[in-house]
Amino acid sequence: MPHELSPNGTSASSTSMKRSADDMSPGLSNEYPPAPHPERKRPDASPVVYTDVLIVGAGPAGLMLATQLTRFGIPVKIIDERRTPTPAGRADGLQPKTIETFKALGLAEPLLRRGVKIYDISFWNSTPASPVLSRSGRDIHYPPVVDVLEPFILLVHQGMVEGVFIDDLAARGVSVDRSCVFDSAAIVDESPNAEYPVEAVYTDLKNSGERRTVRAKYLVGCDGAHSTVRRSMPGVEMKGENTDVFWGVLDGVVDTDFPDLWSKCAISSHTSGTILCCPRERNMTRLYIELPSTSPASTPSRGNRVAKQTANADFIIRAAQAILRPYNITWKSIDWFGVYAIGQRVASAFSSNANRIFIAGDAGHTHSPKAAQGMNVSMHDTYNLAWKLAHVLQGIAAPSLLDTYASERRKIANDLIAFDHSHATALMTQDVKALVDNFKTNIRFISGVGAVYGANALNLAPTTVPGGLGGSTLTPGTLLPPARATRFIDSNPVDIQLDTPWARLGQFRIYFLAPDFAESKYFLDVLCELFTTPTFVLSRAATHSKSLPAPPVTDEDQWDQPSRYTTAAGRLYSPCLITSTPQDGLELSDLPPLLRDSRWCVYIDNLETAVSPLRRKWSRARIRRGETQVVVVRPDGYVGAVSKPWGAEEADSAGRWVEAYFAGFMAEKVGGREGRAERNGVRRERERVEERAERQRERAEERVEREREKAGREKAEREKAVEVNGAGEGEGEAMEMETPTPVLPRPKTREKSTEEVERPMPAETAAVMPMEECPS
């Protein structure tokens, strides 16, 4: 992210600066210098402030964390050394995955209305053999291989993003404490059960530099590349490299005859350098400009770069004009400009002090901004951390859950640095082919959907799934792909992955994929009864979540109606059913009580195949009739676990599988793995459930048998009547065919339906079967 230069070096004749360096945001800058501290006073006599989470830095990363924790009902305090939010410039692009995240949070609408959407990218270059600048290629930005709802970049400046968070916090009674400079932090109580072990000190510049003390359960530093919080973490340091290569950034309204002004463009001049050009809101254009050597007419040399101190707005304008020749460009106004050095670095750790202090965003990773990744990755750092902190603080999850934050997000940071290094190198060396190839190779990662987590307690490795994944396209550690279906309760076609307010509630989702509801009904009845058994881990955790204090309520809640999604299992999870059974073949009364209480999460898979969860998006091959697959989705939209397709007789095994997944990270008091001694009655309760189900099945079989006997008697009477009346054989057959045959509700064996899609038989099985028994 750019570090802003003072506009004093800009001549009044050429530009009119609207923003000063003092107004710029430090939140995501990898060149933000340590703030000059005034003379410090001793801590005053004011009382110590206590809070669950202290957040340092009110850029997008810190505000995302504060917004989510507040929505979950967690007390927070957020401080920032800036006097005001970001007024202009800085980070500027939201990738498709981030747009989807904002939709899930209910915050996307003002940004989509005001931002600029970029659907394509153009490549321009000149070479010694072809010295005239010309377009060498044009592509759609996100090809179909990137499976997203919004296949574009949304360009909005960082202050607009901060604004939607600040407004949401204000509606819930939370505000940023500004002009507060963080000083230091320490762990003052190292006992495992310490309530407020973190003590932080900051200077309040609003009150004559008085020093304040905060005691917190957790501290999170979102305070930029020169993070003071990071310096408070023992042994944590930034590792990587910086370069002496500088780029200028200019936002303003331009007058130009360049034809692709409203597309994203990578422009390379073999004599003058490189520009990345993007349209912006309010008719502006942003230019990322490689600062040339002191002799702009010569080929740039890494050893002869312009000094950052001499690069003012006029200098950057002249460099841009040289690169764009023979096209002309002038500026009508300039909204913001800055200069930054390219560097790729990652912190050696993202947490310390037994996971009591964390860092996120540029405090943990720095890179160039030319691929529009910084704000996106930073916000998803804290999006990942927020629900984990909430579940631990609420007593739902064990503290060990917080280990997954560092392991997951540091992996993404390293993936980002690897991509950014090759991307920046291709731009600096003007290697157009390498730039295009790198962009295409990493397009899924750039969009955000290619950010993949490794196996851990939250992401159940496929090898641990009994029987494999059954042809599912869902993979633990990846994002849930978009899919559409008809919501049963009101017949609305919806995007399933966005339909419930899970992101705002911090909920897991448990999907039951059951193509034929009638044939899966027994399985669902038994499994849902297990889920609500008092000794079952999900039931205990759900009951606990219902006892938590209610989070702040806003006017928006009357439209979203979050209470619809907390009736069945509290704030812990939403049970969701997806079936191909026609809507008129299913009634609410048919559903087990758990799903009946979650009626807004029942979906009919009856839309086109291209968006179908059961026929394409979530499964490579159809789940067989009578089988049910279970999918667990985390509160941040990542797939956590995918089961094999279970048969009707396997509800008990499916229940144990689900219980084992959640017990791996739940708190001991709600049945986590460390609390097995408290769950001695689980198996006995399951056996009682199975006994009740067995009695129900026996009664159903008796009813069916009586129906068969009755049908047999009626058939015999008809045959006798045919003989008396002299009816022909054909008529008798026709009458017999009209007689319905009762079907057992839960047959142990059955003929395969012609409507099923058969799974391929393993080669080793087919090899030993007689030829006449091998499937064709």
Side-chain angles (χ1 to χ4, degrees), residues 724-771:
V724 170
N725 296 327
E729 183 179 353
E731 293 178 0
E733 289 179 351
M735 293 178 67
E736 182 176 340
M737 291 172 64
E738 293 172 1
T739 303
T741 301
V743 179
L744 282 171
R746 183 172 169 266
K748 296 186 178 180
T749 61
R750 60 179 175 83
E751 293 296 323
K752 294 178 180 176
S753 168
T754 56
E755 297 176 5
E756 295 180 27
V757 176
E758 298 288 352
R759 288 194 181 84
M761 180 172 295
E764 62 271 19
T765 303
V768 299
M769 291 179 65
M771 184 59 68

Side-chain angles (χ1 to χ4, degrees), residues 477-541:
T478 65
L479 288 160
L480 185 68
R484 289 178 63 78
T486 299
R487 192 165 54 204
F488 170 77
I489 193 68
D490 61 359
S491 300
N492 275 221
V494 296
D495 295 303
I496 303 173
Q497 77 285 358
L498 292 175
D499 187 47
T500 74
W502 49 269
R504 285 165 269 181
L505 295 172
Q507 277 186 330
F508 285 87
R509 285 165 288 166
I510 302 178
Y511 287 99
F512 305 115
L513 310 184
D516 189 314
F517 174 77
E519 297 219 13
S520 294
K521 186 178 187 312
Y522 174 78
F523 174 90
L524 292 170
D525 286 344
V526 174
L527 186 59
C528 288
E529 190 167 359
L530 282 174
F531 279 14
T532 55
T533 299
T535 49
F536 199 73
V537 62
L538 273 183
S539 178
R540 296 177 64 173

Side-chain angles (χ1 to χ4, degrees), residues 166-346:
I166 290 170
D167 291 346
D168 192 78
L169 284 168
R172 301 171 198 278
V174 176
S175 61
V176 179
D177 198 356
R178 297 197 175 274
S179 299
C180 294
V181 180
F182 177 82
D183 292 333
S184 62
I187 302 297
V188 294
D189 187 344
E190 296 185 354
S191 62
N193 297 322
E195 189 172 10
Y196 295 96
V198 182
E199 183 174 275
V201 178
Y202 68 91
T203 299
D204 187 351
L205 302 181
K206 301 185 300 298
N207 292 283
S208 304
E210 291 180 344
R211 300 184 74 191
R212 308 287 191 185
T213 300
V214 178
R215 290 290 295 272
K217 297 176 181 178
Y218 295 95
L219 166 66
V220 184
C222 306
D223 51 339
H226 296 277
S227 169
T228 309
V229 173
R230 187 182 65 240
R231 291 199 291 269
S232 298
M233 299 166 65
V236 178
E237 58 183 357
M238 297 295 281
K239 294 185 176 181
E241 61 179 19
N242 281 326
T243 70
D244 60 353
V245 178
F246 297 103
W247 284 65
V249 186
L250 206 61
D251 287 344
V253 178
V254 303
D255 187 6
T256 181
D257 56 356
F258 180 69
D260 287 355
L261 185 67
W262 295 103
S263 298
K264 180 179 176 181
C265 300
I267 306 165
S268 293
S269 165
H270 72 290
T271 60
S272 302
T274 302
I275 284 179
L276 193 65
C277 173
C278 302
R280 288 289 301 273
E281 74 280 354
R282 295 189 290 118
N283 204 39
M284 292 192 299
T285 298
R286 166 166 286 195
L287 298 181
Y288 293 96
I289 306 161
E290 180 187 14
L291 297 184
S293 65
T294 53
S295 176
S298 66
T299 301
S301 165
R302 288 197 173 195
N304 193 28
R305 296 288 175 179
V306 66
K308 183 171 66 171
Q309 291 77 9
T310 66
N312 55 31
D314 279 344
F315 186 95
I316 294 171
I317 286 172
R318 290 194 299 271
Q321 291 169 333
I323 294 170
L324 276 172
R325 289 191 185 106
Y327 298 101
N328 298 309
I329 184 169
T330 58
W331 271 257
K332 296 179 178 180
S333 63
I334 292 178
D335 195 64
W336 179 83
F337 90 102
V339 174
Y340 64 88
I342 290 178
Q344 291 94 16
R345 299 188 299 165
V346 178

